[in-house]
């Protein structure tokens, strides 16, 4: 359950609040690129988000079901030097991205609440040039961490597989037989019934008649 302060609750109930987007890209071996869609610098969670009003557009994210992968699409200006440097200068592919929504009070500019809306990985970047009057754009496609839910490994719950990791680990040594093992709880096990051996010859013929 989300814990929201009383100040945030009052602002939400009165309708006098505003929302801003916080974006944090974490390329490999470099400082994160943290920006937000307003002016000035916003410090939150040990990260300084630099004002970038109008520099990016985040399409509304949607929920997903049936273990489908949730995505996020972010559009930057193709003339944004920091984004271009992110693409050309560092290893960004499959690196973490965090998209958050911040709620502010209108009456007194105060940060009331921050909700992490999307956490995932940068997957693809498509660069479209300015053609026929359309502005140049960089579109970043991201995949959420939910893609891990449907990932399968080659390991099995068997003694042979476990012995490959540790030859002395016999944890699954009875796994195969335990599937059909009968366990009697709270009572004495019934003795197995045995059929008398069939006799041959004339005696066996009498048994079959009587």
């Amino acid at each position: 359950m989300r814990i929201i302060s009383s100040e945030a609750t009052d602002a939400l109930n009165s309708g006098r609040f505003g929302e801003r987007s916080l974006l944090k890209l974490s390329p490999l071996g470099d400082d994160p690129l943290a920006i937000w869609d307003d002016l000035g610098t916003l410090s939150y969670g040990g990260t300084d988000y630099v004002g970038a009003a109008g520099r990016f557009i985040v399409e509304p994210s949607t929920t997903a079901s049936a273990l489908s992968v949730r995505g996020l699409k972010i559009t930057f200006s193709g003339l944004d030097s920091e984004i271009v440097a992110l693409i050309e200068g560092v290893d960004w592919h499959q690196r973490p991205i965090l998209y958050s929504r911040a709620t502010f009070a209108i009456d007194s500019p105060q940060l009331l609440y921050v909700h992490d809306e999307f956490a995932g990985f940068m997957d693809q970047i498509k660069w479209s040039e300015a053609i026929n009057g359309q502005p140049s754009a960089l579109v970043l496609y991201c995949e959420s961490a939910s893609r891990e839910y449907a990932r399968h490994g080659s390991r099995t719950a068997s003694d042979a597989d476990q012995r490959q990791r540790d030859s002395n680990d016999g944890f699954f040594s009875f796994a195969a037989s335990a599937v059909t093992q009968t366990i009697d709880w709270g009572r004495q096990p019934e003795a197995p019934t045995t059929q008398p051996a069939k006799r041959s010859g004339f005696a066996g013929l009498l048994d079959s008649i009587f």
Side-chain angles (χ1 to χ4, degrees), residues 97-180:
I97 179 174
L98 178 63
Y99 169 59
S100 308
R101 299 287 294 177
T103 302
F104 292 86
I106 294 178
D107 297 329
S108 58
Q110 177 186 2
L111 178 62
L112 298 176
Y113 181 70
V114 176
H115 168 59
D116 295 337
E117 186 169 318
F118 181 92
F121 308 92
M122 294 179 278
D123 186 51
Q124 298 181 31
I125 293 181
K126 295 184 179 180
W127 192 342
S128 61
E129 298 181 354
I131 301 176
N132 297 328
Q134 297 295 326
S136 175
L138 283 168
V139 182
L140 173 61
Y141 296 90
C142 309
E143 291 185 344
S144 72
S146 62
R147 68 182 186 181
E148 303 293 333
Y149 296 158
R151 183 164 295 180
H152 299 280
S154 59
R155 299 208 59 205
T156 60
S158 64
D159 183 58
D161 184 84
Q162 190 69 12
R163 298 281 184 181
Q164 291 181 358
R165 297 191 60 185
D166 186 350
S167 58
N168 297 320
D169 189 350
F171 180 82
F172 288 108
S173 57
F174 299 101
S177 60
V179 177
T180 57

Side-chain angles (χ1 to χ4, degrees), residues 67-84:
L67 297 182
S68 59
V69 179
R70 185 182 174 201
L72 188 70
K73 178 182 176 182
I74 307 171
T75 302
F76 301 92
S77 169
L79 304 177
D80 193 322
S81 59
E82 286 188 296
I83 301 301
V84 174

